[in-house]
Amino acid sequence: MKSVYDDMSSDERIIHVCVNVDCVLRGSEAVRDRLRMIAEETGSDIEVNDYICFAACEQGPNLLIEHRRAFYSDVDPRHAEGIIAHADGGEPVEVIDRSGSFIARKIFNMLDAGFKPGDLSLSD
């Protein structure tokens, strides 16, 4: 069932990468660093920020492409090119796309309510 908020998206072009202990142990810092490198190499204006936790630790590393309303789990650095391409308007990386999951719906509900992931971010 579609919500009236399904088409809401942010103008900010941000990817939030979980850097809580579980995701870090699963490689999220390497994912974040690779995303930043790909964004820089491709000239993308996508910002890649640290995020403290999406409450999906057992599925990590996790990340959110805020402006595309996309949530990815079980991410590794080899997915970085596809993630940046998706953030820049391309197709989702289907093998790791969890945008239709329960946790993603909860995250999107918080976004719709005005809670921004960056509000708890470790980045400036």
Side-chain angles (χ1 to χ4, degrees):
M1 176 178 199
K2 258 189 132 169
S3 161
V4 294
Y5 299 109
D6 283 344
D7 294 326
M8 287 183 68
S9 62
S10 172
D11 291 333
E12 297 181 76
R13 296 169 48 81
I14 301 172
I15 297 173
H16 301 278
V17 180
C18 182
V19 293
N20 205 357
V21 66
D22 245 355
C23 283
V24 166
L25 289 173
R26 296 170 189 250
S28 68
E29 291 174 318
V31 169
R32 178 205 55 208
D33 295 347
R34 181 81 175 137
L35 288 166
R36 287 177 176 165
M37 186 177 81
I38 296 299
E40 185 177 324
E41 286 176 356
T42 61
S44 175
D45 65 346
I46 300 295
E47 184 178 327
V48 181
N49 288 338
D50 292 343
Y51 186 75
I52 197 60
C53 189
F54 291 110
C57 303
E58 67 283 352
Q59 300 169 20
N62 301 298
L63 64 82
L64 172 76
I65 306 175
E66 184 175 341
H67 63 286
R68 299 287 288 176
R69 293 180 68 88
F71 183 71
Y72 287 135
S73 293
D74 198 25
V75 181
D76 72 45
R78 73 174 185 251
H79 299 120
E81 289 87 357
I83 293 166
I84 294 295
H86 182 205
D88 276 335
E91 294 298 315
V93 182
E94 292 199 21
V95 69
I96 56 172
D97 187 6
R98 308 294 187 270
S99 300
S101 68
F102 175 80
I103 191 70
R105 288 193 307 273
K106 294 302 173 190
I107 292 166
F108 299 147
N109 285 343
M110 289 190 306
L111 286 173
D112 295 341
F115 178 78
K116 303 290 283 176
D119 292 344
L120 294 179
S121 176
L122 299 175
S123 300
D124 297 31

